[in-house]
Amino acid sequence: MLEITQLCKTYATGDTALREVTFRVPRGQMVGLIGPSGAGKSTLIRCINRLVEPSAGRVRLGDTELTRLHGRGLRQARRRIGMIFQEYALVERLTVMENVLSGRLGYVSFWRSFTRRFPGRDIENAYRLLDRVGLLDHADKRADALSGGQRQRVGIARALAQEPELLLVDEPTASLDPRTSRQIMRLLREVCAERDLPAIVNIHDVPLARRFVDRLVGLRAGRQVFDNAPDALDEAA
Ligand code: ADP
Ligand code: ADP
């Protein structure tokens, strides 16, 4: 369970990006975060992984209050959060397999992956993940030889290799065509359910979100203006 309680953020510039945002994401549920540009979606994601320091409020993941952590405790907690990005953030000159394995190390110690030998268990797990996302035949290809949809599948496998307790997904389909976008959203929903993970997907494509997420949270000017099943959106609009 992820719990966000009265989360507020005002940047040093005076821009208020979040105003007392409160909601929970149970395990196995994928929440779509929607709202116009500037609504505060990226800020919310960044307050959860603490790339941005919240001004007030709490974020709790399981028994851990993320908003209280600093230094090493924060670095360890971040490794429990699987991140999936719009532009995939793969290392282009590494293979698909190496990119997936890098998830085992976390992003901080990432560069060690060139020299470090991985235990057989990690390798087997990485093959299983590649099989799950449909890329088993591409394990030894360089990341830059893949299509956008395939890269995003690598991004998903890498996040899962971390054995995360939460998935944070930032505009996963913004660089993909409509058909590939649907496939990626379907895969995300499936892995979230299979692994019983809470997930937040920041997504500006509302029709796509409605079709694939379990629940929608809407932000506008930093305020939460919607929190309901996707089907309830018509009545609210
Ligand atoms: P969204 O992801 O929904 O487009 P953002 O979280 O990026 O929204 O932005 C919310 C508000 O916070 C906007 O007014 C934006 O200008 C402001 N903002 C975002 N990042 C920063 C920053 N680093 N410094 C100052 N203001 C920021
Ligand atoms: P997004 O597509 O996620 O909404 P933006 O174009 O709003 O991204 O922001 C791009 C980058 O600029 C982000 O890192 C964001 O934090 C930063 N940013 C956004 N608004 C502001 C602002 N008003 N002042 C400073 N930085 C900002």
Side-chain angles (χ1 to χ4, degrees):
M1 169 87 87
L2 174 74
E3 285 183 81
I4 295 163
T5 311
Q6 300 206 308
L7 198 66
C8 301
K9 175 62 186 181
T10 299
Y11 286 100
T13 52
D15 291 285
T16 296
L18 297 175
R19 301 167 195 265
E20 303 201 348
V21 172
T22 300
F23 65 96
R24 293 172 171 203
V25 188
R27 291 169 61 141
Q29 192 177 80
M30 184 155 101
V31 166
L33 193 60
I34 56 172
S37 187
K41 304 182 298 295
S42 311
T43 301
L44 178 59
I45 297 270
R46 289 175 196 168
C47 282
I48 297 170
N49 64 20
R50 292 277 302 283
L51 294 177
V52 162
E53 205 55 40
S55 308
R58 292 193 307 271
V59 177
R60 176 182 282 272
L61 177 59
D63 293 332
T64 309
E65 192 173 327
L66 297 176
T67 31
R68 275 174 186 263
L69 299 175
H70 299 280
R72 196 158 70 103
L74 179 59
R75 285 196 295 278
Q76 284 169 348
R78 279 199 185 123
R79 302 198 50 180
R80 296 160 55 193
I81 302 175
M83 293 286 305
I84 295 164
F85 307 93
Q86 172 178 345
E87 295 295 343
Y88 328 117
L90 304 183
V91 182
E92 300 290 334
R93 62 204 168 88
L94 293 186
T95 66
V96 166
M97 180 54 138
E98 287 165 335
N99 271 283
V100 173
L101 283 169
S102 74
R104 290 298 297 158
L105 299 172
Y107 301 103
V108 179
S109 55
F110 173 72
W111 294 106
R112 269 191 279 156
S113 67
F114 290 106
T115 52
R116 190 164 135 170
R117 290 184 54 140
F118 285 89
R121 194 171 48 85
D122 284 352
I123 309 255
E124 280 164 31
N125 186 47
Y127 276 118
R128 263 198 298 276
L129 289 170
L130 283 175
D131 192 20
R132 176 62 189 88
V133 302
L135 288 179
L136 200 50
D137 294 342
H138 300 278
D140 299 323
K141 284 192 185 157
R142 273 171 54 136
D144 55 12
L146 302 183
S147 69
Q150 290 171 332
R151 284 174 198 218
Q152 194 55 291
R153 288 168 186 274
V154 178
I156 293 169
R158 176 183 56 191
L160 294 177
Q162 263 176 268
E163 292 174 5
E165 293 166 48
L166 168 68
L167 285 182
L168 292 180
V169 191
D170 197 5
E171 295 283 4
T173 63
S175 309
L176 303 176
D177 65 62
R179 183 162 170 269
T180 309
S181 296
R182 291 193 292 274
Q183 292 168 344
I184 291 296
M185 287 299 287
R186 186 174 298 118
L187 178 63
L188 283 169
R189 185 180 58 184
E190 286 171 1
V191 298
C192 167
E194 283 163 17
R195 302 215 161 205
D196 205 22
L197 288 170
I200 296 183
V201 183
N202 174 354
I203 181 165
H204 73 276
D205 183 338
V206 176
L208 186 67
R210 287 187 59 166
R211 186 162 161 194
F212 290 102
V213 302
D214 299 303
R215 196 172 125 214
L216 285 172
V217 168
L219 296 182
R220 190 172 299 155
R223 277 183 220 286
Q224 198 172 325
V225 292
F226 185 84
D227 180 358
N228 212 328
D231 286 345
L233 194 62
D234 285 335
E235 297 144 42

